[in-house]
């Protein structure tokens, strides 16, 4: 088999490529959202309006409830809408069509319809946008059966998983950490897809498992390099999909290392990390040599001030400190 060619592009460019390619591949795929046809609004959607026209790249009113309901109807009618929610914080204005309609209609109607809808939801802090524009809310949505939740951490997964999400016949929440948009990394040429529901080992190791969600997968990789300088061989695992969660893939790493630390940018109480920790202890309790540790945002609103924001949010340094504490 010929060797796959790789090129280096950014996370935002990877999303843009995935949208371009899927809209080229399937005329039923279309994009909608607030000012989504304006290239200057986001590098992730730049050029789409010019390429596909305003029938397939639709600007919407500032009404998340309204355009999400319209997207659910379009999906039921055989289209594959991709919603640009601008920020995950705004999704609470559209909870009903997502949680009570998109996620449940296929079940309630006995499989007579599917709802192939993708909701792109940028999120995260680090840019001093304050309490109502910096939240990480994916933990809310793993409580909704029927809704896939994907959280990619690098350009290759951003492209491959978005393409898979658009082809998925169930509704998908596609979480994009804004802090990762400028992150560059290798992405395969061609029709690159990644499987939904499969974790990925981003760094092999033997001493401790670091599980990083979204932006924290990058921090875990940085932490692993720092720990290596201290003689600690850390394995880094990225769940990539948190509903469905690849419990066996995560547990396999913990069985190898005996120690587990989970890092997420969402708040600690009731977070995705809590669900992963509970699942791992059910699957691999006998392998654990210490309680599972968690690093997450403090349980307070995300501040605007740079120094206060740094106190509240997780970081590479906090992961290193927590790993050393766990191993000691």
């Amino acid at each position: 088999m010929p060797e796959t060619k790789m090129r280096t592009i950014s996370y935002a460019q990877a999303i843009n490529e995935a949208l371009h390619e899927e809209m080229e591949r399937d005329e039923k795929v279309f994009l909608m959202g607030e000012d989504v046809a304006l290239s200057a609004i986001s590098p992730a959607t730049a050029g789409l309006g010019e390429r596909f026209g305003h029938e397939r790249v639709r600007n919407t009113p500032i009404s998340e409830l309204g355009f999400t309901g319209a997207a659910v109807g379009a999906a039921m009618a055989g289209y594959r809408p991709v919603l640009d929610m601008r920020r995950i914080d705004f999704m609470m204005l559209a909870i009903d069509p997502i949680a009570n309609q998109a996620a449940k209609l296929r079940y309630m109607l006995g499989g007579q319809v599917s709802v192939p809808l993708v909701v792109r939801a940028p999120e995260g802090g680090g840019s001093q946008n304050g309490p109502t524009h910096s939240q990480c809310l994916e933990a809310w949505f793993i409580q909704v059966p029927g809704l896939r939740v994907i959280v990619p951490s690098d350009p290759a997964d951003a492209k491959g998983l978005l393409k898979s999400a658009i082809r998925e016949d169930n509704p998908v929440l596609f979480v994009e950490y804004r802090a990762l948009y400028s992150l560059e990394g290798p992405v395969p040429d061609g029709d690159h897809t990644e499987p939904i529901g499969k974790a990925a080992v981003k760094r092999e190791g033997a001493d401790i498992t670091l599980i990083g969600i979204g932006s924290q997968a990058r921090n875990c990789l940085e932490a692993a390099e720092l720990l290596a300088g201290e003689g600690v061989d850390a394995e880094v695992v990225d769940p990539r999909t948190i509903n469905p969660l690849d419990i066996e893939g995560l547990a396999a790493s913990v069985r190898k290392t005996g120690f587990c630390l989970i890092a997420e940018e969402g708040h600690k109480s009731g977070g995705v990390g809590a669900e992963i920790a509970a699942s791992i202890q059910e699957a691999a309790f006998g392998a654990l040599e210490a309680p599972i540790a968690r690093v997450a945002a403090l349980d307070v609103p995300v501040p605007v001030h740079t120094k206060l924001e740094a106190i509240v949010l997780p970081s590479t340094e906090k992961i290193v400190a927590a790993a050393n504490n766990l191993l000691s």
Side-chain angles (χ1 to χ4, degrees):
M1 293 180 65
E3 185 177 347
T4 301
K5 293 183 179 180
M6 307 289 283
R7 64 251 141 75
T8 298
I9 60 175
S10 73
Y11 188 99
Q13 288 173 307
I15 292 170
N16 190 281
E17 276 193 6
L19 292 170
H20 268 94
E21 290 175 14
E22 290 305 296
M23 292 179 76
E24 288 276 9
R25 185 187 63 84
D26 185 352
E27 64 181 11
K28 294 291 188 180
V29 178
F30 71 95
L31 183 67
M32 62 191 295
E34 297 161 7
D35 289 330
V36 75
L38 301 179
S39 289
I41 292 295
S42 171
T45 54
L48 290 166
E50 293 84 348
R51 170 63 185 85
F52 296 102
H54 296 312
E55 286 295 307
R56 294 184 65 195
V57 183
R58 290 176 167 263
N59 288 335
T60 66
I62 303 175
S63 175
E64 286 78 8
L65 178 61
F67 66 68
T68 303
V72 172
M76 292 176 67
Y79 290 88
R80 292 184 176 272
V82 180
L83 279 186
D84 188 325
M85 195 58 70
R86 305 303 301 157
R87 296 176 187 271
I88 202 170
D89 313 73
F90 303 158
M91 284 185 67
M92 60 191 75
L93 297 166
I95 284 288
D96 183 67
I98 292 171
N100 284 335
Q101 296 171 32
K104 295 181 173 64
L105 282 169
R106 190 175 188 179
Y107 170 81
M108 293 170 65
L109 298 177
Q112 296 179 81
V113 299
S114 58
V115 187
L117 164 67
V118 176
V119 180
R120 290 182 47 242
E123 71 169 22
S127 52
Q128 297 78 57
N129 284 318
T132 63
H133 290 67
S134 303
Q135 298 174 92
C136 298
L137 302 177
E138 55 264 44
W140 292 17
F141 295 95
I142 63 173
Q143 270 280 317
V144 182
L147 180 66
R148 307 285 190 258
V149 183
I150 295 173
V151 191
S153 70
D154 60 36
D157 285 347
K159 180 175 182 178
L161 285 166
L162 181 54
K163 287 170 71 73
S164 294
I166 292 170
R167 300 177 191 185
E168 169 70 30
D169 286 334
N170 293 291
V172 177
L173 173 59
F174 191 85
V175 178
E176 303 167 8
Y177 276 82
R178 292 197 304 275
L180 297 176
Y181 277 158
S182 61
L183 175 72
E184 293 189 338
V187 177
D189 270 335
D191 187 26
H192 168 62
T193 61
E194 290 288 346
I196 295 173
K198 185 71 173 175
V201 176
K202 299 295 185 178
R203 185 186 192 277
E204 297 278 354
D207 295 335
I208 183 173
T209 298
L210 305 179
I211 298 173
I213 301 160
S215 61
Q216 298 312 301
R218 313 312 303 167
N219 285 351
C220 283
L221 285 168
E222 292 176 0
E225 291 301 314
L226 294 173
L227 289 166
E230 302 173 10
V232 176
D233 186 19
E235 181 152 292
V236 177
V237 185
D238 181 355
R240 303 197 296 183
T241 304
I242 56 174
N243 191 15
L245 185 65
D246 182 8
I247 297 170
E248 182 51 38
L250 301 173
S253 176
V254 174
R255 292 191 191 102
K256 179 169 68 170
T257 66
F259 294 91
C260 179
L261 184 151
I262 304 163
E264 63 179 314
E265 194 175 322
H267 297 296
K268 188 174 184 179
S269 295
V272 178
E275 175 62 26
I276 293 175
S279 298
I280 288 174
Q281 83 77 30
E282 289 175 350
F285 179 75
L288 288 168
E289 297 187 33
I292 297 171
R294 288 183 287 154
V295 175
L298 302 181
D299 290 331
V300 299
V302 180
V304 175
H305 193 283
T306 307
K307 291 183 179 179
L308 293 176
E309 191 179 41
I311 292 170
V312 169
L313 297 179
S315 66
T316 298
E317 293 74 21
K318 292 176 184 178
I319 294 170
V320 170
N324 281 324
N325 183 64
L326 178 62
L327 291 168
S328 67

